[in-house]
Amino acid sequence: MDHFISIAYERMPSSERSASLYWRMLYTDACILKVLARATIPDLPEEVARECISTLDHAIIVAGASTDEGRRDYIVHKIIKQLQVAREPVCQLPTSKNSVRSLASLPSIRPFVLRGYASDWPAMHEPHQWASVAYLFSVAGPARMVPVEVGDDYRSDDWTQKLLHWDDFLSSLNSEGVSGQHQRHTLYLAQHNLLTQFPQLWEDITVPDIVYAYLTSSDFPNYEPPTNVIINAWLGPERTISPAHTDPFFNCYVQVVGRKTVWLAPPNVAASMYPHDSSPDDTDRSHNPAANNTNPLLSNTSRVDALCVILNPGDLLFFPPGWWHAMRSEDVSFSVSMWF
């Protein structure tokens, strides 16, 4: 085979383009046949295997492993892999008494919290910290307007919505400021795509990969996700309350500023979700952060055995569609929800 390899090598550069292709094909074929002849030796020595791999690399480098429709190229790489595998030591995997659980179907998806998930977001740190009113004003500039809810409970008659200057709303969050002293009703920026309005805020977060996954829910067999991920901001003062309700999508809810207590219950408790007066004996409120003695409408969840969690800055809460949830801000709170 060396004779054919040598002749083909000499003729390749001096031939016309069409003839050169055939000489390169001959060079490749001769290299392949030479290697196959040598590789049939039982217990192939490592040095011989290395020489065979070198011969095939010559076919790739010198002749381009010339072929029609890639067949020779495929053969060359296949032989190289076989020669390399033959030289690799066998890896002994450790044995274990533990086995991977087998499932007949996907398990039910339940809420969970990832503590500190967003702790490395720029929004958590200077100079982009969302806890800074000065920074939040700087990303918008003067004279910007935002939609806010006015009132403690959207089910109350005196609840309304209005457009407010961004700087006035930020001032209202400061209990020490003039606006805070005279604020009669709670002002709450809720379910607003603030990141689209102030695009610089996009640089301060990292959207988790899970929101681009296609998930299913046993509670909603015909579940349809939104066309695009829906990202909203939730910014309000201490003691802002969202009464128990459900949403139609999977939710990744990230707490960026302050703490928030979240109450959760599965879709099958819907029959128990009704308003009722708080009993004087109802002293344990740990399972119902939305309960409020001054407004029985917020106590419609206190008869349900629910999940409860306090989200700290940086925590991510995941919950499926249809889950009842109520929320209470324990401090001035800034959160981001991602429906998918």
Side-chain angles (χ1 to χ4, degrees), residues 149 152-155 188 190-191 234 239-245 253 260-263 288-291 298 300-301 325-329:
E149 298 179 356
D152 297 329
D153 183 358
Y154 61 77
R155 299 166 300 183
Y188 188 27
Q191 199 171 321
W234 309 77
R239 294 184 296 276
T240 300
I241 289 175
S242 295
H245 65 284
Y253 193 92
K260 182 169 284 186
T261 301
V262 182
W263 170 97
N288 180 18
L298 293 180
N300 65 337
T301 59
H325 53 287
M327 300 185 180
R328 181 183 64 213
S329 299

mmCIF file of all heavy atoms in Angstrom, residues 149 152-155 188 190-191 234 239-245 253 260-263 288-291 298 300-301 325-329:
data_model
loop_
_atom_site.group_PDB
_atom_site.id
_atom_site.type_symbol
_atom_site.label_atom_id
_atom_site.label_comp_id
_atom_site.label_asym_id
_atom_site.label_seq_id
_atom_site.Cartn_x
_atom_site.Cartn_y
_atom_site.Cartn_z
ATOM 1 N N GLU A 149 -52.435 50.572 41.889
ATOM 2 C CA GLU A 149 -53.695 50.285 42.550
ATOM 3 C C GLU A 149 -53.786 51.153 43.798
ATOM 4 O O GLU A 149 -52.800 51.305 44.530
ATOM 5 C CB GLU A 149 -53.782 48.807 42.932
ATOM 6 C CG GLU A 149 -53.742 47.873 41.739
ATOM 7 C CD GLU A 149 -53.809 46.403 42.142
ATOM 8 O OE1 GLU A 149 -53.804 46.125 43.377
ATOM 9 O OE2 GLU A 149 -53.847 45.543 41.252
ATOM 10 N N ASP A 152 -56.612 49.075 49.884
ATOM 11 C CA ASP A 152 -56.048 47.925 50.568
ATOM 12 C C ASP A 152 -56.504 46.597 49.961
ATOM 13 O O ASP A 152 -55.842 45.578 50.128
ATOM 14 C CB ASP A 152 -56.430 47.952 52.054
ATOM 15 C CG ASP A 152 -55.848 49.170 52.768
ATOM 16 O OD1 ASP A 152 -54.759 49.609 52.358
ATOM 17 O OD2 ASP A 152 -56.485 49.655 53.712
ATOM 18 N N ASP A 153 -57.648 46.595 49.270
ATOM 19 C CA ASP A 153 -58.213 45.341 48.776
ATOM 20 C C ASP A 153 -58.974 45.616 47.487
ATOM 21 O O ASP A 153 -59.902 46.442 47.479
ATOM 22 C CB ASP A 153 -59.140 44.733 49.838
ATOM 23 C CG ASP A 153 -59.712 43.384 49.428
ATOM 24 O OD1 ASP A 153 -59.432 42.931 48.303
ATOM 25 O OD2 ASP A 153 -60.438 42.786 50.246
ATOM 26 N N TYR A 154 -58.607 44.934 46.413
ATOM 27 C CA TYR A 154 -59.245 45.215 45.125
ATOM 28 C C TYR A 154 -60.727 44.813 45.097
ATOM 29 O O TYR A 154 -61.440 45.138 44.152
ATOM 30 C CB TYR A 154 -58.494 44.529 43.983
ATOM 31 C CG TYR A 154 -58.420 43.016 44.051
ATOM 32 C CD1 TYR A 154 -59.505 42.217 43.705
ATOM 33 C CD2 TYR A 154 -57.236 42.385 44.448
ATOM 34 C CE1 TYR A 154 -59.428 40.830 43.754
ATOM 35 C CE2 TYR A 154 -57.156 41.002 44.500
ATOM 36 C CZ TYR A 154 -58.247 40.229 44.140
ATOM 37 O OH TYR A 154 -58.163 38.864 44.196
ATOM 38 N N ARG A 155 -61.194 44.126 46.148
ATOM 39 C CA ARG A 155 -62.612 43.767 46.213
ATOM 40 C C ARG A 155 -63.450 44.809 46.943
ATOM 41 O O ARG A 155 -64.672 44.695 47.011
ATOM 42 C CB ARG A 155 -62.763 42.408 46.907
ATOM 43 C CG ARG A 155 -62.066 41.271 46.168
ATOM 44 C CD ARG A 155 -61.957 40.032 47.037
ATOM 45 N NE ARG A 155 -61.205 40.291 48.254
ATOM 46 C CZ ARG A 155 -60.908 39.355 49.167
ATOM 47 N NH1 ARG A 155 -61.323 38.118 48.982
ATOM 48 N NH2 ARG A 155 -60.223 39.667 50.239
ATOM 49 N N TYR A 188 -50.050 50.497 45.276
ATOM 50 C CA TYR A 188 -49.413 49.228 44.943
ATOM 51 C C TYR A 188 -49.245 49.125 43.428
ATOM 52 O O TYR A 188 -50.233 49.182 42.686
ATOM 53 C CB TYR A 188 -50.291 48.079 45.457
ATOM 54 C CG TYR A 188 -49.688 46.691 45.354
ATOM 55 C CD1 TYR A 188 -48.311 46.471 45.368
ATOM 56 C CD2 TYR A 188 -50.521 45.568 45.259
ATOM 57 C CE1 TYR A 188 -47.780 45.204 45.302
ATOM 58 C CE2 TYR A 188 -50.006 44.287 45.189
ATOM 59 C CZ TYR A 188 -48.631 44.111 45.209
ATOM 60 O OH TYR A 188 -48.104 42.843 45.133
ATOM 61 N N ALA A 190 -48.878 46.740 40.781
ATOM 62 C CA ALA A 190 -49.131 45.298 40.745
ATOM 63 C C ALA A 190 -49.323 44.815 39.314
ATOM 64 O O ALA A 190 -50.021 45.451 38.520
ATOM 65 C CB ALA A 190 -50.377 44.963 41.578
ATOM 66 N N GLN A 191 -48.693 43.696 39.016
ATOM 67 C CA GLN A 191 -48.875 43.023 37.738
ATOM 68 C C GLN A 191 -48.651 43.973 36.560
ATOM 69 O O GLN A 191 -49.436 44.030 35.622
ATOM 70 C CB GLN A 191 -50.263 42.380 37.648
ATOM 71 C CG GLN A 191 -50.374 41.309 36.577
ATOM 72 C CD GLN A 191 -51.680 40.541 36.663
ATOM 73 O OE1 GLN A 191 -52.143 40.244 37.757
ATOM 74 N NE2 GLN A 191 -52.272 40.225 35.536
ATOM 75 N N TRP A 234 -44.023 43.706 40.916
ATOM 76 C CA TRP A 234 -44.939 43.924 42.034
ATOM 77 C C TRP A 234 -44.173 44.728 43.084
ATOM 78 O O TRP A 234 -43.235 44.212 43.710
ATOM 79 C CB TRP A 234 -45.409 42.589 42.613
ATOM 80 C CG TRP A 234 -45.946 41.630 41.585
ATOM 81 C CD1 TRP A 234 -45.218 40.871 40.709
ATOM 82 C CD2 TRP A 234 -47.317 41.345 41.327
ATOM 83 N NE1 TRP A 234 -46.053 40.132 39.913
ATOM 84 C CE2 TRP A 234 -47.354 40.397 40.277
ATOM 85 C CE3 TRP A 234 -48.518 41.781 41.884
ATOM 86 C CZ2 TRP A 234 -48.539 39.889 39.771
ATOM 87 C CZ3 TRP A 234 -49.706 41.268 41.380
ATOM 88 C CH2 TRP A 234 -49.720 40.336 40.334
ATOM 89 N N ARG A 239 -46.998 45.561 54.552
ATOM 90 C CA ARG A 239 -48.373 45.149 54.849
ATOM 91 C C ARG A 239 -49.291 45.174 53.623
ATOM 92 O O ARG A 239 -50.498 45.063 53.764
ATOM 93 C CB ARG A 239 -48.981 45.986 55.983
ATOM 94 C CG ARG A 239 -48.303 45.774 57.324
ATOM 95 C CD ARG A 239 -49.011 46.543 58.432
ATOM 96 N NE ARG A 239 -48.951 47.974 58.224
ATOM 97 C CZ ARG A 239 -47.933 48.739 58.584
ATOM 98 N NH1 ARG A 239 -46.892 48.194 59.181
ATOM 99 N NH2 ARG A 239 -47.964 50.034 58.357
ATOM 100 N N THR A 240 -48.723 45.338 52.423
ATOM 101 C CA THR A 240 -49.547 45.189 51.217
ATOM 102 C C THR A 240 -50.022 43.745 51.118
ATOM 103 O O THR A 240 -49.242 42.813 51.297
ATOM 104 C CB THR A 240 -48.746 45.540 49.947
ATOM 105 O OG1 THR A 240 -48.305 46.892 50.028
ATOM 106 C CG2 THR A 240 -49.600 45.373 48.702
ATOM 107 N N ILE A 241 -51.302 43.564 50.834
ATOM 108 C CA ILE A 241 -51.899 42.225 50.836
ATOM 109 C C ILE A 241 -52.528 41.911 49.489
ATOM 110 O O ILE A 241 -53.202 42.755 48.886
ATOM 111 C CB ILE A 241 -52.966 42.110 51.945
ATOM 112 C CG1 ILE A 241 -52.294 42.097 53.330
ATOM 113 C CG2 ILE A 241 -53.818 40.860 51.762
ATOM 114 C CD1 ILE A 241 -53.265 42.108 54.489
ATOM 115 N N SER A 242 -52.267 40.707 49.003
ATOM 116 C CA SER A 242 -52.962 40.165 47.836
ATOM 117 C C SER A 242 -53.858 39.033 48.335
ATOM 118 O O SER A 242 -53.351 37.993 48.775
ATOM 119 C CB SER A 242 -51.976 39.634 46.801
ATOM 120 O OG SER A 242 -51.202 40.674 46.267
ATOM 121 N N PRO A 243 -55.181 39.190 48.314
ATOM 122 C CA PRO A 243 -56.074 38.129 48.803
ATOM 123 C C PRO A 243 -55.925 36.854 47.978
ATOM 124 O O PRO A 243 -55.402 36.865 46.862
ATOM 125 C CB PRO A 243 -57.465 38.743 48.637
ATOM 126 C CG PRO A 243 -57.237 40.212 48.551
ATOM 127 C CD PRO A 243 -55.911 40.382 47.892
ATOM 128 N N ALA A 244 -56.412 35.757 48.518
ATOM 129 C CA ALA A 244 -56.271 34.460 47.864
ATOM 130 C C ALA A 244 -56.922 34.452 46.485
ATOM 131 O O ALA A 244 -58.056 34.900 46.316
ATOM 132 C CB ALA A 244 -56.895 33.375 48.738
ATOM 133 N N HIS A 245 -56.184 33.945 45.504
ATOM 134 C CA HIS A 245 -56.675 33.857 44.139
ATOM 135 C C HIS A 245 -55.849 32.810 43.401
ATOM 136 O O HIS A 245 -54.888 32.253 43.944
ATOM 137 C CB HIS A 245 -56.561 35.219 43.436
ATOM 138 C CG HIS A 245 -55.142 35.679 43.265
ATOM 139 N ND1 HIS A 245 -54.393 36.199 44.304
ATOM 140 C CD2 HIS A 245 -54.324 35.688 42.180
ATOM 141 C CE1 HIS A 245 -53.184 36.513 43.871
ATOM 142 N NE2 HIS A 245 -53.106 36.211 42.580
ATOM 143 N N TYR A 253 -41.706 33.062 40.860
ATOM 144 C CA TYR A 253 -41.900 34.313 41.576
ATOM 145 C C TYR A 253 -40.632 34.612 42.378
ATOM 146 O O TYR A 253 -40.281 33.859 43.293
ATOM 147 C CB TYR A 253 -43.113 34.187 42.499
ATOM 148 C CG TYR A 253 -43.630 35.475 43.075
ATOM 149 C CD1 TYR A 253 -44.624 36.197 42.428
ATOM 150 C CD2 TYR A 253 -43.139 35.968 44.282
ATOM 151 C CE1 TYR A 253 -45.128 37.372 42.962
ATOM 152 C CE2 TYR A 253 -43.630 37.145 44.822
ATOM 153 C CZ TYR A 253 -44.623 37.850 44.160
ATOM 154 O OH TYR A 253 -45.113 39.014 44.687
ATOM 155 N N LYS A 260 -41.624 38.654 52.034
ATOM 156 C CA LYS A 260 -43.038 38.471 51.703
ATOM 157 C C LYS A 260 -43.487 37.108 52.189
ATOM 158 O O LYS A 260 -42.829 36.096 51.933
ATOM 159 C CB LYS A 260 -43.253 38.611 50.196
ATOM 160 C CG LYS A 260 -44.707 38.486 49.760
ATOM 161 C CD LYS A 260 -44.881 38.893 48.293
ATOM 162 C CE LYS A 260 -44.836 40.394 48.121
ATOM 163 N NZ LYS A 260 -45.139 40.810 46.729
ATOM 164 N N THR A 261 -44.617 37.075 52.895
ATOM 165 C CA THR A 261 -45.209 35.816 53.331
ATOM 166 C C THR A 261 -46.186 35.343 52.255
ATOM 167 O O THR A 261 -47.013 36.131 51.780
ATOM 168 C CB THR A 261 -45.944 35.981 54.667
ATOM 169 O OG1 THR A 261 -45.018 36.455 55.651
ATOM 170 C CG2 THR A 261 -46.525 34.655 55.128
ATOM 171 N N VAL A 262 -46.070 34.081 51.893
ATOM 172 C CA VAL A 262 -46.918 33.528 50.839
ATOM 173 C C VAL A 262 -47.668 32.324 51.386
ATOM 174 O O VAL A 262 -47.091 31.452 52.039
ATOM 175 C CB VAL A 262 -46.084 33.109 49.610
ATOM 176 C CG1 VAL A 262 -47.003 32.586 48.498
ATOM 177 C CG2 VAL A 262 -45.252 34.274 49.103
ATOM 178 N N TRP A 263 -48.943 32.297 51.155
ATOM 179 C CA TRP A 263 -49.822 31.187 51.508
ATOM 180 C C TRP A 263 -50.202 30.464 50.230
ATOM 181 O O TRP A 263 -50.501 31.096 49.210
ATOM 182 C CB TRP A 263 -51.037 31.747 52.216
ATOM 183 C CG TRP A 263 -52.172 30.804 52.454
ATOM 184 C CD1 TRP A 263 -52.431 30.104 53.592
ATOM 185 C CD2 TRP A 263 -53.233 30.498 51.541
ATOM 186 N NE1 TRP A 263 -53.585 29.368 53.438
ATOM 187 C CE2 TRP A 263 -54.084 29.592 52.186
ATOM 188 C CE3 TRP A 263 -53.524 30.893 50.233
ATOM 189 C CZ2 TRP A 263 -55.230 29.073 51.581
ATOM 190 C CZ3 TRP A 263 -54.647 30.377 49.621
ATOM 191 C CH2 TRP A 263 -55.492 29.473 50.298
ATOM 192 N N ASN A 288 -52.150 31.221 57.300
ATOM 193 C CA ASN A 288 -52.988 32.130 56.529
ATOM 194 C C ASN A 288 -52.460 33.556 56.601
ATOM 195 O O ASN A 288 -52.980 34.392 57.329
ATOM 196 C CB ASN A 288 -54.420 32.067 57.057
ATOM 197 C CG ASN A 288 -55.343 32.993 56.291
ATOM 198 O OD1 ASN A 288 -55.010 33.424 55.198
ATOM 199 N ND2 ASN A 288 -56.479 33.314 56.877
ATOM 200 N N PRO A 289 -51.404 33.872 55.869
ATOM 201 C CA PRO A 289 -50.824 35.216 55.942
ATOM 202 C C PRO A 289 -51.733 36.290 55.385
ATOM 203 O O PRO A 289 -51.508 37.467 55.618
ATOM 204 C CB PRO A 289 -49.552 35.094 55.100
ATOM 205 C CG PRO A 289 -49.837 33.978 54.157
ATOM 206 C CD PRO A 289 -50.671 33.006 54.940
ATOM 207 N N ALA A 290 -52.788 35.891 54.630
ATOM 208 C CA ALA A 290 -53.685 36.907 54.089
ATOM 209 C C ALA A 290 -54.807 37.272 55.052
ATOM 210 O O ALA A 290 -55.596 38.163 54.758
ATOM 211 C CB ALA A 290 -54.289 36.426 52.772
ATOM 212 N N ALA A 291 -54.891 36.575 56.177
ATOM 213 C CA ALA A 291 -55.959 36.878 57.132
ATOM 214 C C ALA A 291 -55.742 38.258 57.738
ATOM 215 O O ALA A 291 -54.632 38.687 57.991
ATOM 216 C CB ALA A 291 -55.979 35.826 58.234
ATOM 217 N N LEU A 298 -60.551 39.222 53.781
ATOM 218 C CA LEU A 298 -59.215 38.654 53.627
ATOM 219 C C LEU A 298 -59.058 37.360 54.398
ATOM 220 O O LEU A 298 -57.979 36.795 54.434
ATOM 221 C CB LEU A 298 -58.168 39.670 54.104
ATOM 222 C CG LEU A 298 -58.055 40.931 53.240
ATOM 223 C CD1 LEU A 298 -56.998 41.854 53.815
ATOM 224 C CD2 LEU A 298 -57.727 40.571 51.807
ATOM 225 N N ASN A 300 -60.796 34.545 53.882
ATOM 226 C CA ASN A 300 -61.489 33.464 53.194
ATOM 227 C C ASN A 300 -60.646 32.210 53.052
ATOM 228 O O ASN A 300 -61.073 31.249 52.440
ATOM 229 C CB ASN A 300 -61.965 33.931 51.807
ATOM 230 C CG ASN A 300 -60.801 34.248 50.888
ATOM 231 O OD1 ASN A 300 -59.713 34.526 51.360
ATOM 232 N ND2 ASN A 300 -61.055 34.227 49.592
ATOM 233 N N THR A 301 -59.450 32.210 53.595
ATOM 234 C CA THR A 301 -58.589 31.038 53.450
ATOM 235 C C THR A 301 -58.292 30.347 54.771
ATOM 236 O O THR A 301 -57.585 29.354 54.799
ATOM 237 C CB THR A 301 -57.248 31.461 52.825
ATOM 238 O OG1 THR A 301 -56.649 32.432 53.676
ATOM 239 C CG2 THR A 301 -57.436 32.046 51.453
ATOM 240 N N HIS A 325 -53.202 31.185 46.043
ATOM 241 C CA HIS A 325 -52.101 31.844 46.750
ATOM 242 C C HIS A 325 -52.536 33.227 47.215
ATOM 243 O O HIS A 325 -53.306 33.918 46.551
ATOM 244 C CB HIS A 325 -50.834 31.936 45.887
ATOM 245 C CG HIS A 325 -51.037 32.559 44.543
ATOM 246 N ND1 HIS A 325 -51.681 31.926 43.500
ATOM 247 C CD2 HIS A 325 -50.664 33.789 44.063
ATOM 248 C CE1 HIS A 325 -51.697 32.704 42.433
ATOM 249 N NE2 HIS A 325 -51.104 33.845 42.742
ATOM 250 N N ALA A 326 -52.073 33.576 48.395
ATOM 251 C CA ALA A 326 -52.274 34.901 48.966
ATOM 252 C C ALA A 326 -50.924 35.376 49.471
ATOM 253 O O ALA A 326 -50.064 34.567 49.832
ATOM 254 C CB ALA A 326 -53.292 34.853 50.101
ATOM 255 N N MET A 327 -50.720 36.688 49.478
ATOM 256 C CA MET A 327 -49.404 37.225 49.829
ATOM 257 C C MET A 327 -49.534 38.445 50.721
ATOM 258 O O MET A 327 -50.502 39.208 50.623
ATOM 259 C CB MET A 327 -48.628 37.585 48.560
ATOM 260 C CG MET A 327 -48.402 36.398 47.625
ATOM 261 S SD MET A 327 -47.367 36.836 46.221
ATOM 262 C CE MET A 327 -47.294 35.257 45.355
ATOM 263 N N ARG A 328 -48.542 38.606 51.596
ATOM 264 C CA ARG A 328 -48.478 39.785 52.464
ATOM 265 C C ARG A 328 -47.035 40.266 52.536
ATOM 266 O O ARG A 328 -46.120 39.485 52.850
ATOM 267 C CB ARG A 328 -48.980 39.456 53.865
ATOM 268 C CG ARG A 328 -48.968 40.671 54.812
ATOM 269 C CD ARG A 328 -49.412 40.289 56.216
ATOM 270 N NE ARG A 328 -48.483 39.354 56.844
ATOM 271 C CZ ARG A 328 -48.854 38.404 57.697
ATOM 272 N NH1 ARG A 328 -50.123 38.245 57.993
ATOM 273 N NH2 ARG A 328 -47.956 37.612 58.238
ATOM 274 N N SER A 329 -46.813 41.524 52.222
ATOM 275 C CA SER A 329 -45.475 42.110 52.309
ATOM 276 C C SER A 329 -45.134 42.392 53.760
ATOM 277 O O SER A 329 -45.903 43.058 54.459
ATOM 278 C CB SER A 329 -45.402 43.404 51.498
ATOM 279 O OG SER A 329 -45.669 43.162 50.135
#
